[in-house]
Amino acid sequence: MLATIPSPTEGVLWLGPIPLRGYALCILAGVVVATIIAGRRLEARGYARDAAVGVVLWIVPFGIVGGRLYHVITTPQPYFGENGNPVDALKVWQGGLGIWGAVALGALGAWIGARREGVPFAVLADAIAPGLPLAQAIGRFGNYFNNELYGRRTDVPWALEIHQWDSGAGKAVVDSTGQPVVLGTFHPTFLYEALWCLLIAFVIWRISDSGCLRRGQAFGLYVMLYPMGRIIVELMRSDFANRILGLRVNVWVSILVFLLGLGVFLARRKADPDVRLARADDDSDRGADDGVSTASSDTSETATSDEATSTTKDSTD
């Protein structure tokens, strides 16, 4: 059994003068995985696999700007409050990307990219749907490297050890003896959310491949499922957050996003079926028809051959 889950005391790996931040590397890894998945799903639907790369080049910058804007707007105190520094709002590498802003502006970037690549937006959204939560799961480990996104204090066997963190230096604060300062052990809510995202990716992938979804519904399913887990995570967190009627802002936003996803899912009930599945079904039907036709042809040829043989035999007799 685990006593605790240790947290890193360094969030940055230096290659000479070049800093490699764990937070950024996790986000980058998530983007790469999501792009590969989206490319394969686009190709299965009759579009170029490389179109995913062209679209992602629009999604990423829009998503980063949107995520940072959402974070700064909903948590302005560190930047514009007492002792705040507005310049810090630009320091994305220190952490602080709101998923809702990233999804909102990222969707705008996806729409632009889809038009430029000649891919219908609904097809693109469905192709991205399982890869998006998978990318989020990988990206959440960036919070681990920054010693952030943890819940209330706990002594459960999987409790996460958290250090007092210097976000500017990207490492733990040390005491007079040079030892990292430990704040205590907390619920690893970053891990809970990562596991939830992995489950979402699996569910969407299986249901999408079952052929029971219409175009656009896979993405609607993601927009519905993710907020359900996010609400639970938000209620477990103990860090500072602005509140409305006693609830964290992200809880209210999650509720609204869930309703939006439900609306998208229901609105797409009469849309075209999944292109790849429809094509696969048509090919299967054609294969079955060809098989019947071939069998009928073989039977006819056999009958004709038998008649010819019989006629020849009668003539000989």
Side-chain angles (χ1 to χ4, degrees), residues 182-263:
V182 177
L183 297 179
T185 56
F186 303 81
H187 276 288
T189 49
F190 86 89
L191 181 59
Y192 299 160
E193 184 172 333
L195 293 174
W196 175 245
C197 287
L198 289 176
L199 179 60
I200 292 173
F202 176 77
V203 169
I204 293 177
W205 210 315
R206 292 302 299 269
I207 295 179
S208 176
D209 284 355
S210 71
C212 63
L213 294 181
R214 296 285 177 166
R215 185 179 293 180
Q217 284 191 313
F219 186 74
L221 194 59
Y222 159 75
V223 178
M224 275 196 302
L225 291 177
Y226 175 69
M228 294 170 64
R230 184 57 186 263
I231 289 173
I232 296 174
V233 168
E234 287 293 330
L235 294 176
M236 295 181 68
R237 290 174 64 175
S238 59
D239 57 329
F240 170 79
N242 291 306
R243 297 172 181 267
I244 299 176
L245 299 178
L247 291 177
R248 298 166 70 100
V249 171
N250 278 336
V251 172
W252 290 108
V253 175
S254 295
I255 294 172
L256 293 176
V257 172
F258 169 80
L259 295 175
L260 174 63
L262 178 62

Side-chain angles (χ1 to χ4, degrees), residues 60-300:
V60 171
F62 274 73
I64 291 175
V65 172
R68 191 59 173 177
L69 283 175
Y70 179 89
H71 169 73
V72 172
I73 291 172
T74 57
T75 313
Q77 288 85 352
Y79 314 106
F80 305 105
E82 186 178 354
N83 299 321
N85 184 2
V87 176
D88 288 344
L90 302 176
K91 298 178 180 178
V92 179
W93 56 88
Q94 294 183 0
L97 292 176
I99 183 61
W100 304 127
V103 170
L105 270 191
L108 176 59
W111 179 78
I112 296 173
R115 287 178 61 86
R116 294 178 65 88
E117 296 293 334
V119 179
F121 182 70
V123 173
L124 175 67
D126 284 345
I128 292 175
L132 186 55
L134 186 56
Q136 286 178 250
I138 298 172
R140 276 304 172 208
F141 283 87
N143 302 119
Y144 170 71
F145 284 105
N146 279 357
N147 279 241
E148 60 187 6
L149 195 59
Y150 51 88
R152 299 187 184 92
R153 290 182 179 272
T154 183
D155 58 357
V156 295
W158 57 90
L160 177 68
E161 183 181 79
I162 292 294
H163 302 99
Q164 185 177 344
W165 198 253
D166 183 344
S167 59
K171 61 181 181 181
V173 175
V174 297
D175 59 21
S176 58
T177 64
Q179 296 299 312
V181 177
V182 177
L183 297 179
T185 56
F186 303 81
H187 276 288
T189 49
F190 86 89
L191 181 59
Y192 299 160
E193 184 172 333
L195 293 174
W196 175 245
C197 287
L198 289 176
L199 179 60
I200 292 173
F202 176 77
V203 169
I204 293 177
W205 210 315
R206 292 302 299 269
I207 295 179
S208 176
D209 284 355
S210 71
C212 63
L213 294 181
R214 296 285 177 166
R215 185 179 293 180
Q217 284 191 313
F219 186 74
L221 194 59
Y222 159 75
V223 178
M224 275 196 302
L225 291 177
Y226 175 69
M228 294 170 64
R230 184 57 186 263
I231 289 173
I232 296 174
V233 168
E234 287 293 330
L235 294 176
M236 295 181 68
R237 290 174 64 175
S238 59
D239 57 329
F240 170 79
N242 291 306
R243 297 172 181 267
I244 299 176
L245 299 178
L247 291 177
R248 298 166 70 100
V249 171
N250 278 336
V251 172
W252 290 108
V253 175
S254 295
I255 294 172
L256 293 176
V257 172
F258 169 80
L259 295 175
L260 174 63
L262 178 62
V264 170
F265 188 84
L266 295 177
R268 303 298 298 180
R269 286 180 299 174
K270 296 183 180 180
D272 294 335
D274 183 282
V275 176
R276 181 182 64 84
L277 295 173
R279 184 180 295 115
D281 291 341
D282 290 343
D283 290 344
S284 176
D285 292 341
R286 281 197 297 271
D289 291 342
D290 291 344
V292 172
S293 176
T294 301
S296 298
S297 178
D298 290 344
T299 302
S300 177

